[in-house]
Amino acid sequence: MTMRRTITILGATGSIGTSTLDLVERDPEAFEIVALTAQRDVAGLAAAARRTRARLAVIGDETLIAPLREALAGSDVEAAAGADAIAEAAALGADWTMAAIVGTAGLRPTMAALGHGRTVALANKESLVSAGALMTEAARQAGATLLPVDSEHNAVFQCFPHHDVSQVKRVILTASGGPFRTMPRDEMARVTPAQAVKHPNWSMGAKISVDSATLMNKGLELIEAHHLFPVGADRFAVIVHPQSVVHSMVEYVDGSVLAQMGTPDMRTPIAHTLAWPKRMGTPCAPLDLAEVGRLDFEEPDLGRFPALGLAMAALAAGGARPAVLNAANEVAVAAFLDGRIGFLDIVLIVEKVLERYDPAPPASIDEALAIDAEARAVARTATELQTA
Ligand code: NAD
Ligand code: MG
């Protein structure tokens, strides 16, 4: 009998979390669920925990502990609540942990999972942007394996098997260009949250969908790539590829360019991290290139999408600049989704916060979280001024 692998999913009710559950639940003999976590979706969390016979279900919002207990009544699933309980669940040490909380809220739980020296599949890019050096160093010290779930980084990982940076000329991240790829800037001023979250190729959570529309997502991904593949900040490039079939590329010194392709379905990169170093079957539609017909590529337009330029500058400057950029963006995107600011205000707010707050690089996770909190406070003030 082969041992079942123990699994924890942080952010189990989100887009990545439910895609992960979809794969895991297809093979109940292979996987045993330790913990599932969510922030507010009690019904979704309880249903998943019951179906998978999870040991523990944790809801982030402490006021929801009673409804969670009620929803789990009669099952063997233990219930807990609060941010600390999520980090404790991550620290239980599953063989494989999916880090799929959105935002820097995922930083502490992801660090707790890494501390066990097992495998962490990382979707939560914001935590890597905010504290990448601390996180990769913690993974190294604990002997943990950090596997990239983000489709671009998973593609690079697959095209970069030996991790010999001296042979790599460029790492080229592809970007779909988002729903406003061809839209003039004056029209962008009027787009609604509903339009912004309607991604042409991928179905994702609201925050990353808005990031894809501003191209901030690609900026965050450049910083993410820099931590995962340390080839040097000047050796990354972005190319817009509207079909989202080529998920990213690695160019070698001899002129060879390796690409990873597939239909835009996050279950493929998730399955890659779940089975790694082996492969597993997925229900994803096979790539039919004849049906796709053509693959287009174009340079990103930094004039219409200034968020990408801001992120590039933050990457080049290093230190705490990426953390400030990320925190300000989280606040501004939430304000846009709330209908409090316009689409173009998002990047204006990020720019203002970067001008006003320039802390020294964090030496610990506590310092990284303090910088994140301060940058959010500055961003909230900038958001209020923008709405006044
Ligand atoms: P989502 O909004 O659909 O889900 C987020 C999950 O995190 C939910 O389970 C939610 O309950 C939980 N959560 C939210 N706020 C929390 C908090 N403060 N504390 C604890 N838990 C909290 O988001 P998603 O699209 O699944 O994205 C998750 C992460 O994966 C993000 O960092 C995103 O950038 C990254 N990612 C997503 C995709 C995608 O296709 N959706 C692709 C690449 C990377
Ligand atoms: Mg991506």
Side-chain angles (χ1 to χ4, degrees), residues 258-271:
L258 301 195
Q260 185 263 352
M261 294 190 279
T263 47
D265 186 329
M266 285 307 292
R267 289 177 301 182
T268 294
I270 295 168

Side-chain angles (χ1 to χ4, degrees), residues 306 310 321 328 346-356:
L310 280 184
R321 303 309 280 160
I346 298 172
V347 68
L348 288 180
I349 287 167
V350 174
E351 204 171 5
K352 275 187 195 145
V353 177
L354 283 166
E355 275 166 21
R356 285 177 202 166

Side-chain angles (χ1 to χ4, degrees), residues 204-225:
M204 310 182 287
K207 193 264 176 181
I208 183 177
S209 296
V210 175
D211 286 346
S212 300
T214 58
L215 286 203
M216 182 60 90
N217 183 52
K218 212 48 55 179
L220 298 177
E221 289 184 353
L222 279 171
I223 300 164
E224 182 186 10

Side-chain angles (χ1 to χ4, degrees), residues 135-268:
M135 189 178 267
T136 51
E137 177 55 20
R140 200 189 58 76
Q141 274 185 15
T145 305
L146 194 57
L147 297 175
V149 172
D150 212 347
S151 59
E152 297 77 5
H153 307 75
N154 186 266
V156 172
F157 185 73
Q158 293 195 46
C159 297
F160 194 1
H162 307 301
H163 286 259
D164 180 350
V165 294
S166 71
Q167 297 171 353
V168 173
K169 198 163 163 207
R170 283 191 311 163
V171 169
I172 306 160
L173 302 184
T174 54
S176 70
F180 310 137
R181 182 175 57 87
T182 58
M183 186 183 276
R185 243 182 105 70
D186 56 332
E187 270 179 54
M188 282 189 217
R190 292 184 298 273
V191 300
T192 63
Q195 284 173 288
V197 299
K198 212 167 166 295
H199 196 276
N201 306 335
W202 300 92
S203 153
M204 310 182 287
K207 193 264 176 181
I208 183 177
S209 296
V210 175
D211 286 346
S212 300
T214 58
L215 286 203
M216 182 60 90
N217 183 52
K218 212 48 55 179
L220 298 177
E221 289 184 353
L222 279 171
I223 300 164
E224 182 186 10
H226 160 75
H227 290 295
L228 293 170
F229 313 107
V231 298
D234 56 336
R235 283 201 263 174
F236 292 100
V238 171
I239 192 158
V240 174
H241 165 45
Q243 290 90 357
S244 298
V245 165
V246 175
H247 296 313
S248 279
M249 297 171 261
V250 179
E251 180 183 344
Y252 286 91
V253 287
D254 62 3
S256 295
V257 179
L258 301 195
Q260 185 263 352
M261 294 190 279
T263 47
D265 186 329
M266 285 307 292
R267 289 177 301 182
T268 294

Side-chain angles (χ1 to χ4, degrees), residues 10-19 37-41 59-61 83 86 99-106 109 122-127 149-152 202-209 211 217 220-221 224 266:
L10 307 170
T13 54
S15 168
I16 293 288
T18 50
S19 291
T37 82
Q39 184 61 10
R40 269 181 288 271
D41 180 2
I59 195 84
D61 183 337
I86 292 181
I101 290 171
V102 60
T104 47
L122 186 78
N124 176 214
K125 68 188 81 182
E126 295 91 349
S127 62
V149 172
D150 212 347
S151 59
E152 297 77 5
W202 300 92
S203 153
M204 310 182 287
K207 193 264 176 181
I208 183 177
S209 296
D211 286 346
N217 183 52
L220 298 177
E221 289 184 353
E224 182 186 10
M266 285 307 292

Side-chain angles (χ1 to χ4, degrees), residues 104 107-108 111 114 124-139 146 223 227 319-320 322-324 326 362-369 371-372:
T104 47
L107 182 53
R108 256 197 218 290
M111 290 295 291
L114 285 169
N124 176 214
K125 68 188 81 182
E126 295 91 349
S127 62
L128 200 56
V129 170
S130 193
L134 295 166
M135 189 178 267
T136 51
E137 177 55 20
L146 194 57
I223 300 164
H227 290 295
V324 173
N326 175 70
S364 66
I365 291 297
D366 284 340
E367 283 184 26
L369 288 168
I371 289 169
D372 181 70

